[in-house]
């Protein structure tokens, strides 16, 4: 499947919703796991502002790549962000979109808050 790297250097990115476990099956509540590592997957909704436009992106991240201090409004860095186009057909209806995945979502303010506490 095609993967497109996303350049975030000129973007402002903040947490829009605290990280949630990614649900694989809504009927059973089964949590999605990374196919390669077996790590639990999380979904982090972020406000992505660039080029005078703002969007809310839902990003899938392994649980090990999610900082503990992510709360609404926290400025973050997105490590290894990629976009994957997808398309499927369900009950005769075609759907398509772009899925976003990152290696890590890290708070930019963690170092600043630790240095103030010292």
């Amino acid at each position: 499947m095609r993967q497109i790297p996303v350049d975030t250097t000129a973007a402002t990115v903040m947490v829009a919703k605290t990280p949630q476990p990614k649900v694989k099956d809504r009927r059973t509540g089964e949590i999605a796991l990374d196919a390669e590592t077996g790590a639990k997957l999380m979904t982090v909704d972020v406000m992505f502002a660039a080029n005078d436009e703002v969007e809310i992106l839902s990003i899938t991240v392994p649980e090990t790549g999610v900082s503990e201090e992510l709360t609404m409004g926290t400025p973050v860095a997105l490590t290894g962000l990629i976009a994957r186009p997808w398309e499927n057909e369900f009950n005769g209806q075609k759907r398509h979109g772009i899925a976003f995945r990152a290696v890590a979502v890290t708070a930019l303010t963690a170092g600043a808050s630790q240095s103030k506490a010292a």
Side-chain angles (χ1 to χ4, degrees):
M1 180 180 291
R2 185 174 190 188
Q3 297 183 14
I4 304 163
V6 179
D7 180 10
T8 61
T9 54
T12 299
V13 185
M14 294 191 319
V15 175
K17 184 178 177 184
T18 56
Q20 305 289 319
K22 182 175 177 119
V23 178
K24 180 178 181 178
D25 186 334
R26 290 183 187 163
R27 292 175 289 140
T28 65
E30 181 183 1
I31 302 301
L33 301 176
D34 185 282
E36 294 175 14
T37 66
K40 185 164 108 175
L41 293 175
M42 304 293 285
T43 300
V44 182
D45 291 350
V46 299
M47 179 201 74
F48 191 92
N51 303 322
D52 293 329
E53 293 187 23
V54 177
E55 292 188 53
I56 300 295
L57 303 180
S58 220
I59 300 174
T60 300
V61 186
E63 185 176 38
T64 55
V66 177
S67 294
E68 289 183 25
E69 64 277 357
L70 297 184
T71 59
M72 187 182 297
T74 303
V76 292
L78 303 174
T79 304
L81 182 64
I82 58 162
R84 290 183 184 166
W86 60 269
E87 181 177 277
N88 64 26
E89 189 171 332
F90 185 72
N91 289 336
Q93 298 221 349
K94 286 191 175 186
R95 298 182 61 190
H96 58 88
I98 299 172
F100 293 92
R101 180 141 180 174
V103 173
V105 177
T106 315
L108 293 175
T109 57
S113 61
Q114 288 174 355
S115 64
K116 287 180 186 175

